[in-house]
């Protein structure tokens, strides 16, 4: 795993945007795997800036998002549909039909997940996947457990994740207890992966991630089995 340690969040956001931009320039009809959460917001701001400057064009880019709460409607302001529109899609020229986010209201989640996998394959696979990391080591909503799922699936959120994400909701009981998420195999099939982490709260899981080992107790450590992963973190996440 390649590791880039940045002085602060702004630097991390620019490093991540530069890697994304290089992929988009190299393959203007490429496929991006995108993440939500607070960490990638600065990177998205930079990508919007690069689009506005004429440096980047998203007209043939396809996107697939890691996950979505379940059940939750796309127009709910806590949904990841809403987040992506606000933080990135409304600021760039990606085509609506090229955006793929799991349907948090799907009546048949199993089919929704299978169709999502198929769409990724039909698009030629993900060229670059962006990841955040949960304080418990989750990537997407692949939570620490004895077993992890390979494919996109419906999953229960852990107490830890519900607590961590409750900061975005009015109260903790409003946080959905389930989500649809890409599986570990879906993520690991991406050709290139960048994982972003900032702040002391991520130090424990980041220090496990940079050791050459794999454990289902920290799903992010599975990235050690991938040939092209870059961890971009700030000093606090790296050093504690
Ligand atoms: P955060 O979330 O970027 O808001 O810290 C990361 C995650 O839970 O994957």
């Amino acid at each position: 795993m390649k590791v880039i340690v940045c002085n602060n969040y702004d630097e991390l956001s620019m490093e991540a945007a530069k890697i994304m931009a290089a992929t988009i320039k190299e393959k203007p009809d490429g496929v991006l795997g995108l993440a939500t959460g607070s960490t990638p917001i600065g990177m998205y701001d930079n990508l919007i800036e690069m689009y506005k400057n004429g440096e980047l064009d998203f007209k043939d880019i396809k996107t697939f998002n890691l996950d979505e709460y379940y059940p939750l409607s796309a127009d709910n302001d806590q949904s990841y549909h809403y987040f992506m529109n606000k933080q990135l899609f409304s600021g760039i020229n990606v085509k609506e039909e090229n955006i793929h986010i799991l349907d948090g209201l799907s009546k048949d989640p199993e089919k929704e997940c299978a169709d999502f996998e198929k769409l990724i394959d039909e698009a030629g696979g993900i060229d670059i996947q962006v990841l955040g990391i949960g304080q418990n080591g989750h990537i997407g909503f692949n939570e620490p457990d004895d077993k992890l799922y390979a494919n996109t699936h419906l999953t229960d959120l852990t107490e830890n994740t519900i607590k961590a994400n409750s900061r975005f909701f009015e109260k903790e009981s409003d946080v959905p207890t389930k989500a649809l998420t890409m599986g570990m195999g879906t993520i690991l099939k991406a050709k290139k992966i960048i994982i972003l982490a900032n702040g002391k709260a991520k130090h424990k899981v980041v220090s496990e991630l940079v050791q050459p080992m794999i454990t289902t107790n920290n799903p992010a450590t599975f990235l050690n089995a991938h040939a092209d992963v870059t961890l971009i973190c700030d000093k606090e996440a790296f050093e504690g």
Side-chain angles (χ1 to χ4, degrees):
M1 178 174 309
K2 191 174 162 202
V3 181
I4 301 176
V5 183
C6 302
N7 288 312
N8 53 47
Y9 179 70
D10 285 350
E11 226 178 275
L12 173 159
S13 300
M14 188 44 81
E15 284 298 325
K18 276 196 223 154
I19 295 174
M20 292 293 280
T23 305
I24 295 165
K25 284 179 196 167
E26 196 180 302
K27 197 171 173 191
D29 60 349
V31 181
L32 311 181
L34 299 176
T36 52
S38 45
T39 316
I41 292 176
M43 178 193 76
Y44 291 145
D45 287 345
N46 290 326
L47 291 175
I48 291 172
E49 203 54 41
M50 290 172 183
Y51 163 69
K52 289 192 171 149
N53 292 339
E55 197 186 323
L56 286 182
D57 186 358
F58 292 82
K59 82 173 168 17
D60 295 321
I61 288 289
K62 293 194 177 80
T63 72
F64 288 86
N65 260 80
L66 273 173
D67 46 20
E68 178 58 285
Y69 286 117
Y70 187 88
L72 200 64
S73 78
D75 56 14
N76 186 302
D77 63 5
Q78 296 302 337
S79 78
Y80 290 162
H81 279 79
Y82 191 95
F83 175 100
M84 288 309 301
N85 271 326
K86 179 166 175 236
Q87 303 296 347
L88 180 66
F89 298 149
S90 59
I92 59 173
N93 65 337
V94 64
K95 291 184 186 136
E96 198 157 337
E97 65 264 32
N98 287 342
I99 294 171
H100 304 89
I101 306 180
L102 287 151
D103 176 7
L105 283 188
S106 172
K107 295 248 156 36
D108 187 347
E110 215 168 295
K111 180 172 182 305
E112 175 69 13
C113 292
D115 289 350
F116 193 74
E117 292 276 339
K118 209 164 137 225
L119 284 168
I120 295 174
D121 285 347
E122 283 167 6
I126 292 170
D127 291 299
I128 183 163
Q129 175 68 54
V130 183
L131 299 173
I133 182 170
Q135 290 175 27
N136 63 359
H138 74 197
I139 49 176
F141 277 124
N142 294 279
E143 302 280 30
D145 207 337
D146 292 343
K147 291 180 197 156
L148 302 176
Y149 282 80
N151 295 332
T152 302
H153 60 286
L154 179 64
T155 189
D156 292 316
L157 304 185
T158 58
E159 279 304 313
N160 179 301
T161 295
I162 291 171
K163 215 175 242 345
N165 290 9
S166 65
R167 68 189 195 274
F168 301 113
F169 291 79
E170 221 165 87
K171 49 188 192 303
E172 198 173 312
S173 58
D174 289 344
V175 186
T177 56
K178 291 179 188 290
L180 300 168
T181 181
M182 285 187 193
M184 297 301 294
T186 328
I187 293 170
L188 289 168
K189 272 191 275 182
K191 287 159 204 150
K192 185 179 186 73
I193 297 174
I194 58 173
I195 178 161
L196 318 182
N198 78 299
K200 273 195 188 5
K202 302 290 172 71
H203 174 63
K204 180 177 173 288
V205 284
V206 165
S207 60
E208 289 166 4
L209 176 60
V210 294
Q211 288 166 30
M213 56 103 200
I214 290 170
T215 168
T216 60
N217 294 325
N218 178 345
T221 59
F222 276 69
L223 298 176
N224 283 311
H226 192 283
D228 190 352
V229 176
T230 304
L231 164 67
I232 309 170
C233 59
D234 70 351
K235 277 190 181 152
E236 287 195 332
F238 194 71
E239 290 164 9

